[in-house]
């Protein structure tokens, strides 16, 4: 009988997906909802696979520790799309593959983006809060329609393309920009979308701008004071991708001087952020605590996709999901 593959799941997993792992003859699973740094270090040495979400970080120092400790580690899998919490380059240098489940939560993240756009347009959080405080502020909470507005989508990967599809269905005009994807017109759903080679051109023409880029050296603070100065006066910025794609002080300044009408954000560079927060408390900011992938359906898909990708990786050497 072959030895089971040892898997450590560090940050939780949906019940149905976890049951699949535990029922498999292929895997020996250790599961935790929350994991300390010391526990994660030990797991990197003792297991062939370590699965994490956004809560855990596997940077160079932990990978180096595992390497120097005669680690059995073959694969790190990110249960989600973004891998900015993993040092992918150094892991590869050490012969460790890194995998993600990029498609599994795309729909939920895209829907949350649309939800935040509607929340901004119709002042939903402010209206809710006023009624809860026994106030009737109907006259001052006049919103705007999304239909006919121009949406600039920065990042046209799986999530961005779903946002585009849904925005077009709402009657919005859509333009896109993505420096990492070539021949964007070849992608299904982008045939009739205006694609710009310059981010500045997209910013100048968009009433709302939504971010769907990975976080890295090329994209950190990509929306800074200089870029915000190119945006329409009274435009809206939405980020359901990664904290740090925007320069927060520059965003706050733009909210204060009227360049930005509103800022809707689901992600923060430090999670949880430090409270109290000037950003979160700002009256023109609508924010949620990293809920983009927090749906029952997305979490089930993430776990199921991870199961099948890991099973195939060890059964027949499949590289699906490997970065």
């Amino acid at each position: 009988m072959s030895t089971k593959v040892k898997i450590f799941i560090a940050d939780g997993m949906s019940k149905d997906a976890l049951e699949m792992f535990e029922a498999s003859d292929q895997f020996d699973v250790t599961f935790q909802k929350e994991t300390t740094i010391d526990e994660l270090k030990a797991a990197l040495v003792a297991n062939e696979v370590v699965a994490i979400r956004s809560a855990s970080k596997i940077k160079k120092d932990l990978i180096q520790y595992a390497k120097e400790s005669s680690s059995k580690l073959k694969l790190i899998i990110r249960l989600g799309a973004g891998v900015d919490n993993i040092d992918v380059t150094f892991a590869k240098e050490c012969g460790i593959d890194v995998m993600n489940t990029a498609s599994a939560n795309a729909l939920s993240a895209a829907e949350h983006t649309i939800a935040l756009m509607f929340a901004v347009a119709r002042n939903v959080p402010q209206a809710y809060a006023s009624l809860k405080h026994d106030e009737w502020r109907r006259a001052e909470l006049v919103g705007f329609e999304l239909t006919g507005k121009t949406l600039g989508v920065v990042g046209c990967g799986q999530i961005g393309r779903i946002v585009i599809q849904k925005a077009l269905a709402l009657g919005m005009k859509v333009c896109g920009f993505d420096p990492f994807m070539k021949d964007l017109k070849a992608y299904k759903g982008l045939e009739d979308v205006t694609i710009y080679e310059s981010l500045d051109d997209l910013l100048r023409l968009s009433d709302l701008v939504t971010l769907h880029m990975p976080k890295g050296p090329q994209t950190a603070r990509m929306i800074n004071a200089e870029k915000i100065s190119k945006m329409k006066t009274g435009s809206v910025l939405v980020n359901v991708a990664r904290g740090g794609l925007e320069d927060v002080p520059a965003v706050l300044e733009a909210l204060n001087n009227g360049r930005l009408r509103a800022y809707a954000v689901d992600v923060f560079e430090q999670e949880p952020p430090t409270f109290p927060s000037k950003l979160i408390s700002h009256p023109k900011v609508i924010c949620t605590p990293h809920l983009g992938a927090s749906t029952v359906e997305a979490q089930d898909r993430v776990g199921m996709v991870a199961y099948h990708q890991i099973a195939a990786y060890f059964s027949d050497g499949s590289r699906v999901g490997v970065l």
Side-chain angles (χ1 to χ4, degrees):
M1 189 179 200
S2 60
T3 304
K4 290 185 177 183
V5 175
K6 293 191 68 175
I7 300 176
F8 183 85
I9 300 170
D11 300 322
M13 179 176 283
S14 77
K15 180 175 179 291
D16 289 346
L18 181 60
E19 287 176 352
M20 284 184 65
F21 276 96
E22 291 177 335
S24 172
D25 292 333
Q26 190 178 3
F27 302 132
D28 176 7
V29 179
T30 301
F31 167 81
Q32 291 187 192
K33 287 187 177 181
E34 296 180 357
T35 303
T36 67
I37 292 177
D38 287 341
E39 289 171 335
L40 188 58
K41 286 173 69 174
L44 289 168
V45 174
N47 294 271
E48 293 162 88
V49 182
V50 172
I52 64 172
R53 295 173 66 185
S54 58
S56 293
K57 294 176 173 57
I58 301 180
K59 297 295 189 175
K60 184 175 182 178
D61 57 336
L62 291 190
I63 297 170
Q64 183 70 44
Y65 173 83
K67 179 182 177 183
E68 293 173 354
S69 303
S70 302
S71 173
K72 301 176 181 178
L73 190 65
K74 294 183 175 65
L75 178 67
I76 300 168
I77 180 164
R78 169 68 165 88
L79 302 175
V83 291
D84 51 294
N85 56 333
I86 302 170
D87 191 327
V88 178
T89 301
F90 188 66
K92 289 181 177 181
E93 290 175 5
C94 295
I96 301 165
D97 283 323
V98 178
M99 177 186 288
N100 69 355
T101 60
S103 63
N105 59 11
L107 177 58
S108 287
E111 287 189 353
H112 196 65
T113 301
I114 299 295
L116 288 180
M117 288 165 52
F118 271 114
V120 167
R122 300 311 301 269
N123 298 306
V124 173
Q126 298 93 326
Y128 171 83
S130 68
L131 283 172
K132 286 289 187 179
H133 287 88
D134 303 327
E135 300 169 345
W136 187 258
R137 296 169 53 197
R138 183 170 181 251
E140 63 187 90
L141 292 174
V142 177
F144 63 90
E145 295 177 348
L146 293 180
T147 301
K149 300 298 187 295
T150 298
L151 175 66
V153 178
V154 180
C156 298
Q158 295 184 72
I159 296 171
R161 292 200 298 276
I162 297 173
V163 170
I164 288 170
Q165 175 191 36
K166 294 186 180 301
L168 290 171
L170 292 171
M172 301 184 77
K173 301 170 186 176
V174 182
C175 55
F177 167 80
D178 196 314
F180 302 120
M181 296 174 65
K182 296 181 180 179
D183 193 17
L184 285 171
K185 289 290 187 181
Y187 288 88
K188 185 178 180 181
L190 299 182
E191 303 90 347
D192 300 320
V193 175
T194 302
I195 302 296
Y196 290 109
E197 294 186 3
S198 165
L199 176 58
D200 289 356
D201 290 339
L202 178 144
L203 296 176
R204 288 191 189 98
L205 295 169
S206 300
D207 299 300
L208 300 95
V209 174
T210 180
L211 307 179
H212 304 286
M213 299 292 287
K215 171 84 176 295
Q218 292 176 269
T219 59
R221 312 294 189 279
M222 67 181 298
I223 304 299
N224 51 32
E226 187 267 333
K227 293 301 181 187
I228 292 173
S229 72
K230 313 286 187 186
M231 298 175 71
K232 281 186 177 182
T233 298
S235 56
V236 174
L237 179 65
V238 182
N239 184 5
V240 186
R242 279 291 176 270
L245 294 178
E246 67 290 79
D247 184 304
V248 169
V251 170
L252 286 170
E253 176 61 26
L255 291 169
N256 291 333
N257 65 30
R259 171 65 69 175
L260 288 179
R261 173 180 182 139
Y263 172 53
V265 60
D266 182 52
V267 287
F268 303 87
E269 199 155 19
Q270 176 186 320
E271 293 186 354
T274 301
F275 298 105
S277 163
K278 289 183 180 180
L279 178 71
I280 292 171
S281 62
H282 197 286
K284 294 182 180 179
V285 173
I286 292 175
C287 46
T288 50
H290 204 150
L291 298 180
S294 294
T295 63
V296 172
E297 295 87 350
Q299 292 309 304
D300 281 343
R301 279 196 301 271
V302 164
M304 301 295 183
V305 168
Y307 174 87
H308 291 296
Q309 288 181 184
I310 296 171
Y313 178 90
F314 284 97
S315 296
D316 55 29
S318 170
R319 307 284 295 174
V320 173
V322 173
L323 302 173

